[in-house]
Amino acid sequence: MQKFRFLTAGESHGKALTAIIEGVPAGFSIDEDFINEELKRRQSGYGRGGRMKIETDRVEITSGVRFGKTLGSPITLVIKNKDFENWQKIMSSSADDLTDEKSFTTCRPGHADYAGSVKYGHQDLRNILERSSARKTAIEVAVGAVAKLILKEFGITADSRVLQIGNSQSDFNAEIDKAREEGITLGGRFEVVFKNLPVGLGSYVHYDRKLDGKIAQMVMSIPAVKSVSIGDGEDAHRLSGREFHDEMFLENGKIVRKTNHAGGLEGGMTNGEDLIVRANMKPIPTMRSPLNTVDLANLTETTAHFERSDVCAVEACAVIAEARIACAIVDEFLLKFGGDSLEEMQTNSI
Ligand code: EPS
């Protein structure tokens, strides 16, 4: 079951990234400046690479919104790749422009290059890199910004923070500087929090309706994310039942909790507490000091392809996770409170 559906398209150095969102009811305010602010957040963070100096991501809304309000029809979002100017011939869709400039055959361990080439039969790994690049997360953040604007009407807010970079829990920039000098990359750990969620989004009745499962899928499929947990899920194996579960108390007739180890989800449903999602991002596989690998063109051992890369993108990853989770929550909102317009949803959610 999916009410908030979207598809994205676009290559890292292609003309543009595009998304079509279907299922947004009529009457929601769409603030383009807010979407652009979210795009700016995704581009920032200490440790980003050369590409971020080229791009200033801005969204263009080409359908579904009129005079700042959603129409109920599909919404199309476009982000132009400025770098396309430098890649027009290399990324051309015309057979007349065929070139092997910027082709490469040396897989980056940890990236999609090897499995992608076997799967799709591409000899030129550029054909894989262009879509497997994390560049596509720009348009996902724009989609997530639309989801956040819907949630905002119901008082729901999202935020995130970096918890750890490499081995450091505090001096992140020094850690990143050290990695840059060594020509390596760093991963890290981040946390996303959603506040003011109603009780009962998601359901326990079937495996594919559990919101924790839906959130895990959304976060796990962000490039470089290797593990996702809800609340104190990563410690769940070592805590006793008394330590882990969040006891319930009454305060002026209202049910309250003093802890939130469950991260706001019980039985696959929101329980009215803050939704807390944590995830670990591996280090980006593209490195100035490259790893050993195999050249697929002649099956010889060599070192991996390097063009340019971010040293660390954990802060950006947290922003992307906010966007993805917002999509999962909006989907549940539409399932539960339905309606073809904001007005209908407001009536249904009272
Ligand atoms: C990214 C754009 C990419 C990479 C990065 C994320 O740009 P380019 O390939 O031109 O350098 O900087 O992607 C990766 C690190 C990766 O391994 O895919 C962006 O817009 O965030």
Side-chain angles (χ1 to χ4, degrees):
M1 256 191 297
Q2 234 188 328
K3 289 267 185 181
F4 182 89
R5 296 187 295 152
F6 66 94
L7 272 181
T8 74
E11 277 74 41
S12 180
H13 304 98
K15 204 176 254 179
L17 302 162
T18 310
I20 299 179
I21 314 172
E22 208 275 323
V24 179
F28 281 93
S29 295
I30 298 298
D31 175 358
E32 220 171 283
D33 290 343
F34 173 75
I35 303 176
N36 288 329
E37 274 308 308
E38 292 289 284
L39 293 176
K40 201 164 149 191
R41 285 179 70 215
R42 192 203 73 96
Q43 286 200 274
S44 51
Y46 201 70
R48 301 306 305 273
R51 181 72 184 270
M52 292 305 106
K53 293 194 183 83
I54 299 171
E55 305 292 344
T56 312
D57 292 334
R58 292 190 73 78
V59 75
E60 198 186 325
I61 302 171
T62 61
S63 80
V65 179
R66 189 163 185 236
F67 306 133
K69 300 263 188 210
T70 58
L71 299 174
S73 50
I75 298 173
T76 308
L77 307 175
V78 179
I79 298 171
K80 292 206 173 90
N81 285 323
K82 273 200 191 155
D83 209 13
F84 179 62
E85 266 170 48
N86 308 315
W87 291 74
Q88 290 195 36
K89 283 269 176 198
I90 296 154
M91 293 306 293
S92 168
S93 57
S94 165
D96 299 341
D97 292 325
L98 184 66
T99 171
D100 60 6
E101 198 189 334
K102 297 275 187 193
S103 289
F104 73 102
T105 52
T106 53
C107 323
R108 291 161 297 167
H111 221 292
D113 303 342
Y114 170 66
S117 90
V118 175
K119 181 174 171 69
Y120 290 100
H122 290 308
Q123 252 92 87
D124 177 5
L125 301 178
R126 161 99 17 227
N127 290 333
I128 297 138
L129 172 153
E130 285 295 334
R131 182 63 183 162
S132 66
S133 165
R135 175 78 195 139
K136 64 179 168 302
T137 60
I139 197 71
E140 293 168 356
V141 166
V143 173
V146 171
K148 283 183 183 180
L149 286 169
I150 299 171
L151 294 174
K152 197 174 144 211
E153 292 286 353
F154 301 92
I156 296 162
T157 59
D159 208 355
S160 62
R161 66 190 174 120
V162 174
L163 301 174
Q164 183 158 343
I165 299 288
N167 282 316
S168 172
Q169 289 181 350
S170 54
D171 209 354
F172 298 154
N173 293 6
E175 201 78 359
I176 293 167
D177 284 340
K178 230 174 13 181
R180 184 184 282 112
E181 265 168 46
E182 287 174 43
I184 55 169
T185 54
L186 285 177
R189 181 167 166 73
F190 62 85
E191 177 182 88
V192 177
V193 180
F194 277 75
K195 288 183 184 289
N196 299 325
L197 292 163
V199 177
L201 296 178
S203 177
Y204 62 90
V205 301
H206 204 60
Y207 75 95
D208 62 355
R209 292 188 57 191
K210 295 187 76 166
L211 185 53
D212 37 14
K214 290 184 175 184
I215 288 171
Q217 204 279 332
M218 277 301 209
V219 179
M220 195 72 179
S221 55
I222 298 171
V225 167
K226 278 306 221 185
S227 75
V228 185
S229 57
I230 309 283
D232 290 332
E234 277 206 4
D235 294 320
H237 62 289
R238 60 171 191 83
L239 298 175
S240 70
R242 179 157 293 284
E243 288 167 316
F244 189 84
H245 296 295
D246 306 304
E247 292 186 278
M248 300 165 90
F249 304 92
L250 277 177
E251 232 174 66
N252 304 324
K254 222 181 128 218
I255 293 174
V256 293
R257 318 258 188 155
K258 293 178 182 165
T259 56
N260 185 14
H261 300 296
L265 287 174
E266 287 172 314
M269 297 168 291
T270 50
N271 63 3
E273 302 298 311
D274 290 351
L275 173 72
I276 302 172
V277 181
R278 299 192 182 112
N280 291 332
M281 181 189 186
K282 71 182 180 184
I284 289 165
T286 317
M287 275 184 281
R288 189 162 52 77
S289 164
L291 299 172
N292 286 333
T293 190
V294 171
D295 187 334
L296 296 182
N298 52 17
L299 288 184
T300 51
E301 287 189 2
T302 180
T303 51
H305 176 77
F306 175 77
E307 241 158 46
R308 66 180 164 208
S309 177
D310 303 315
V311 176
C312 181
V314 180
E315 213 171 309
C317 196
V319 175
I320 298 158
E322 278 180 38
R324 292 275 193 100
I325 298 167
C327 293
I329 294 174
V330 144
D331 193 39
E332 292 301 329
F333 235 83
L334 294 171
L335 282 168
K336 186 164 171 65
F337 301 117
D340 296 309
S341 66
L342 167 62
E343 229 176 35
E344 271 183 21
M345 280 184 77
Q346 278 167 335
T347 309
N348 295 344
S349 65
I350 291 168

